[in-house]
Amino acid sequence: MYRFEFLEPGDDEPMDHLFEKTLHSETIYEGRIIDVRVEDVQLPNGKQSKRELIDHPGAVAIIAQTPDDKILAVRQYRKALGKAIVEIPAGKLEQGEEPELTAVRELEEETGYTCEKLEKVISFYTSPGFANELVHLYVAKGLTKKGEQSADEDEFLDLLHLSIEEMEEMLDSQEIHDAKTAYAIMYLKMKLMK
């Protein structure tokens, strides 16, 4: 059980009293996308526990709105879920690649569109209880259709042009069932209310 205390300035006790000290760390799997570590940790109360952790290079997600106010999305089968879902374009950061470059690359690969400008919205952790994946969310402006999709050889995507209302309906029916796309819908609705 965690212990919560309110510390006064000048107290000798460290401010980060929820810190878990790593006693031992072992990488048990190195994959193409993720690595898996098991760590023995000392808890704030002095007891020990194990943590199963996923290391991920990070990713980008793109809110891309066409001149006719449609949002670009892709329908893709997700093996972990056992079903196809609708998502905003997204992809993994390559080693040493800046998130903005990843966003431009993934937008073009997954949709065939380029953009004149990218604006960063926010970065967020997807599952901080066991993974360090950080997603950088962007809005792509000034879209131009450059060509056809050129997804990775193991990616099969249907390109969709959706209104925000259609996306909300898909959220209700769980065709949209991922956090980054749900966040994008919430962000777009907030922008429209201004």
Side-chain angles (χ1 to χ4, degrees):
M1 179 177 211
Y2 289 110
R3 124 187 110 94
F4 295 93
E5 295 177 5
F6 296 97
L7 301 176
E8 296 297 322
D11 282 353
D12 292 333
E13 193 168 344
M15 293 298 287
D16 197 1
H17 57 280
L18 299 178
F19 178 76
E20 294 182 359
K21 180 180 178 183
T22 301
L23 303 172
H24 180 262
S25 180
E26 179 182 359
T27 300
I28 61 170
Y29 174 78
E30 291 182 10
R32 187 172 60 90
I33 297 174
I34 63 164
D35 295 339
V36 179
R37 281 181 291 128
V38 176
E39 291 195 349
D40 295 315
V41 298
Q42 182 175 353
L43 303 172
N45 64 2
K47 294 183 179 180
Q48 292 185 12
S49 190
K50 285 199 179 292
R51 299 288 184 242
E52 297 168 355
L53 306 171
I54 295 175
D55 288 324
H56 187 284
V60 299
I62 306 103
I63 301 170
Q65 195 164 13
T66 63
D68 61 348
D69 291 329
K70 298 289 186 175
I71 306 300
L72 298 181
V74 294
R75 180 177 285 115
Q76 180 175 0
Y77 183 81
R78 293 301 195 179
K79 185 63 177 169
L81 305 180
K83 67 178 183 176
I85 61 172
V86 174
E87 307 172 47
I88 58 174
K92 176 179 73 72
L93 291 170
E94 298 299 332
Q95 187 170 357
E97 188 175 44
E98 290 297 320
E100 294 84 4
L101 294 176
T102 306
V104 170
R105 176 177 52 77
E106 289 293 339
L107 177 65
E108 188 170 340
E109 287 177 5
E110 292 195 0
T111 69
Y113 281 80
T114 60
C115 65
E116 291 176 9
K117 185 178 179 185
L118 276 178
E119 288 181 7
K120 186 163 185 179
V121 175
I122 196 167
S123 295
F124 57 90
Y125 290 101
T126 56
S127 299
F130 62 88
N132 63 3
E133 179 187 21
L134 182 65
V135 174
H136 307 277
L137 181 63
Y138 291 91
V139 172
K141 297 189 173 185
L143 295 184
T144 304
K145 181 75 169 161
K146 183 176 180 184
E148 296 303 311
Q149 294 168 283
S150 58
D152 295 336
E153 63 181 22
D154 63 347
E155 278 186 312
F156 298 90
L157 311 169
D158 290 335
L159 180 61
L160 307 171
H161 293 71
L162 302 171
S163 67
I164 294 173
E165 294 76 23
E166 289 171 317
M167 293 181 83
E168 286 183 287
E169 289 170 12
M170 289 178 160
L171 194 57
D172 288 340
S173 69
Q174 296 185 346
E175 278 184 89
I176 292 176
H177 211 189
D178 70 296
K180 68 184 177 301
T181 307
Y183 192 107
I185 294 168
M186 181 180 70
Y187 172 80
L188 290 166
K189 287 193 63 152
M190 287 173 41
K191 291 280 284 184
L192 288 173
M193 292 188 314
K194 289 185 177 181

